[in-house]
Amino acid sequence: MVFVPPNDEIPRFNAYLLKPLSEVELKAFKRQFEIGTCAPFNTKLELVIKKAPEDYLNQPHSYIRIKENEAGRTDPFILIDERVVSDGAVWYVDRFADEDEVKEGMAQSTSVLWQILLKTDCLALTWVNYDIVNMTIQEDLGNCGVELPAPENFEQPEIWDIGMDMEKEMYEQDIWITAGPDEIEESTDRKLRDKFLPRPKRVARLKEGLAEEVGLINRWTIPSEAEPWEFPDGSTKEFPKGSVVLQLKYNPEFAWPAYKWPEESL
């Protein structure tokens, strides 16, 4: 059977409600986040939505960051206020500037809180870009009109929007699957091989119907030799001789089970 790697270790951030949302408003927020995080098939980030503690209300975001740090919760978190209704946007709150950032002219002091107001559907991909250092929050703030070095309590003139149609982006999600030799078809047709640079000796795809069964979009691609898959618990999955890894794409239109929010989330 085609092996699709499980997506088990998904990062999870707290999202604090600073403003009560109606059922309709909360549902709309969740839907936009689900689109951006590519749930349920390739979920990149999860949120635990909570009512903010009473002492977080009507306080500057820097106060909340300090309280979170004191509680040992040093990861980024999300703040949901009236902007989620008026602009479809939430606050991604990261950390305070460090001494190096002050020396490098990015912040005026270590009292500067790195945070950014962004469109809800851009949240997950923006975090991914920060995590792999493809982009930085300082670059994105600069693109939103924030002048560096940023002062304490800086204002953000524009909402961060990653500039992509996130619903279309759901169709561009790659997955590397493993298939046995009896589950693939190969070709040395030059027209197929010419689509790749450098030109491979052969291309492969799943046999008819197999990709559709597991929610994938089949296509010709470059096969690579399969290696044992190691699970988080240390166990491994071995594959038959001749098995290959193929880079395919998820099919968002597949009958995926509904996404389940974390149990402790609203």
Side-chain angles (χ1 to χ4, degrees):
M1 183 177 178
V2 175
F3 175 70
V4 180
N7 186 17
D8 294 331
E9 298 183 315
I10 305 170
R12 184 175 290 182
F13 292 159
N14 285 328
Y16 295 112
L17 280 174
L18 300 178
K19 172 191 179 299
L21 297 182
S22 69
E23 184 177 343
V24 172
E25 290 167 344
L26 180 60
K27 186 176 180 180
F29 163 72
K30 284 185 170 183
R31 179 54 186 156
Q32 286 303 302
F33 176 75
E34 288 175 16
I35 290 171
T37 199
C38 294
F41 53 87
N42 193 29
T43 309
K44 296 173 172 56
L45 179 68
E46 292 189 316
L47 297 181
V48 178
I49 304 172
K50 304 178 178 183
K51 291 182 179 178
E54 285 295 325
D55 67 317
Y56 283 14
L57 303 179
N58 302 313
Q59 294 287 349
H61 296 175
S62 56
Y63 171 88
I64 302 174
R65 177 71 275 177
I66 290 171
K67 288 297 183 181
E68 288 290 293
N69 290 349
E70 289 175 350
R73 297 186 292 268
T74 57
D75 284 340
F77 57 86
I78 311 306
L79 295 178
I80 305 170
D81 61 14
E82 65 279 356
R83 301 298 292 271
V84 75
V85 177
S86 62
D87 300 295
V90 295
W91 295 94
Y92 172 91
V93 183
D94 195 351
R95 57 178 175 80
F96 288 105
D98 59 32
E99 292 287 356
D100 287 340
E101 290 166 337
V102 175
K103 293 178 182 177
E104 292 167 5
M106 288 187 284
Q108 291 185 8
S109 73
T110 55
S111 296
V112 172
L113 177 64
W114 294 126
Q115 63 173 356
I116 189 166
L117 181 66
L118 42 65
K119 290 289 187 179
T120 301
D121 63 352
C122 297
L123 173 55
L125 186 54
T126 297
W127 170 76
V128 169
N129 283 334
Y130 295 165
D131 188 54
I132 64 175
V133 200
N134 187 43
M135 290 289 288
T136 68
I137 193 170
Q138 293 83 11
E139 289 175 301
D140 287 345
L141 286 170
N143 290 329
C144 292
V146 177
E147 294 187 5
L148 303 180
E152 187 177 353
N153 302 320
F154 61 82
E155 293 187 4
Q156 182 182 329
E158 300 176 19
I159 299 171
W160 172 242
D161 187 334
I162 210 162
M164 300 167 63
D165 184 328
M166 299 310 296
E167 291 200 65
K168 289 183 179 179
E169 187 64 18
M170 295 178 81
Y171 288 85
E172 299 299 325
Q173 300 302 301
D174 292 316
I175 177 67
W176 284 260
I177 61 95
T178 302
D182 60 338
E183 297 172 316
I184 63 170
E185 55 179 321
E186 297 180 311
S187 176
T188 56
D189 187 321
R190 186 183 179 102
K191 290 183 179 179
L192 295 175
R193 294 185 295 123
D194 280 348
K195 296 178 181 179
F196 303 92
L197 289 174
R199 184 189 305 119
K201 293 181 179 180
R202 62 190 175 113
V203 291
R205 66 181 179 184
L206 291 176
K207 288 183 177 178
E208 185 176 355
L210 292 182
E212 292 77 8
E213 289 179 2
V214 291
L216 304 179
I217 298 173
N218 204 12
R219 63 175 180 176
W220 291 106
T221 187
I222 303 173
S224 58
E225 184 179 351
E227 297 182 355
W229 177 269
E230 184 174 347
F231 294 96
D233 63 3
S235 61
T236 59
K237 180 178 179 60
E238 303 284 341
F239 300 102
K241 184 178 180 180
S243 295
V244 298
V245 174
L246 302 177
Q247 181 183 358
L248 302 181
K249 291 185 183 296
Y250 286 102
N251 180 8
E253 298 177 23
F254 180 71
W256 299 101
Y259 174 66
K260 292 183 179 181
W261 281 72
E263 289 185 7
E264 60 269 39
S265 178
L266 294 176

